Amino acid sequence: MLFRNQVPVERSGGFTTERLLKLADQVPGLRGAGFDAAVRTMKYKAFVTASEKAYENTGDDPKGPGTPSLVVNGHLLEGGLYGVAFEEGLLTRLVVDLHDRPARWSTFWVPFGKRVEAQWEAEES
């Protein structure tokens, strides 16, 4: 919901408390006294700030890797691996692999990404 509304909201002043609550109305079961209080008091502000700082420290760009981005066990999914983030079966396999067998990043996933990129290049030619 937030991602879908990110551009129009940012162009018109950002995610104010009232805008967040109005967007939350569109998600069945989300609104309630606890949720509303958390939004109004900015209960999770420290967590959000810490998450933003961690994101900004991901990679070489001080603004962070861009959105949407996915980093798994310190590995940014980019290039040929970017599409894995949108394929539930592949993403599950990658996350499990990197949790259970971290070395698979360099032995399987990096080569897999390079093969995908080579296929893209061949299709463009």
Side-chain angles (χ1 to χ4, degrees):
M1 183 61 57
L2 294 178
F3 183 72
R4 183 181 323 143
N5 289 281
Q6 180 177 354
V7 172
V9 169
E10 286 181 353
R11 286 185 183 155
S12 63
F15 286 107
T16 64
T17 298
E18 292 310 312
R19 282 192 174 147
L20 287 170
L21 294 174
K22 190 172 182 178
L23 287 171
D25 281 334
Q26 299 175 44
V27 180
L30 184 58
R31 290 291 301 268
F35 178 85
D36 288 9
V39 171
R40 290 187 191 286
T41 63
M42 299 182 80
K43 179 177 181 177
Y44 297 101
K45 183 179 181 178
F47 171 77
V48 171
T49 300
S51 297
E52 185 175 353
K53 288 191 184 309
Y55 172 79
E56 289 170 354
N57 291 325
T58 302
D60 297 327
D61 187 337
K63 294 180 182 174
T67 57
S69 295
L70 183 61
V71 178
V72 179
N73 284 6
H75 303 291
L76 177 63
L77 300 188
E78 59 186 347
L81 290 176
Y82 182 74
V84 170
F86 303 101
E87 297 289 335
E88 183 179 355
L90 276 175
L91 180 59
T92 300
R93 181 173 172 196
L94 180 137
V95 169
V96 169
D97 266 359
L98 294 184
H99 178 268
D100 295 344
R101 299 174 287 182
R104 293 262 299 169
W105 175 255
S106 58
T107 62
F108 178 80
W109 291 102
V110 170
F112 175 79
K114 289 180 180 178
R115 286 193 304 274
V116 170
E117 287 179 19
Q119 183 177 355
W120 289 344
E121 290 174 9
E123 290 173 2
E124 289 178 359
S125 302

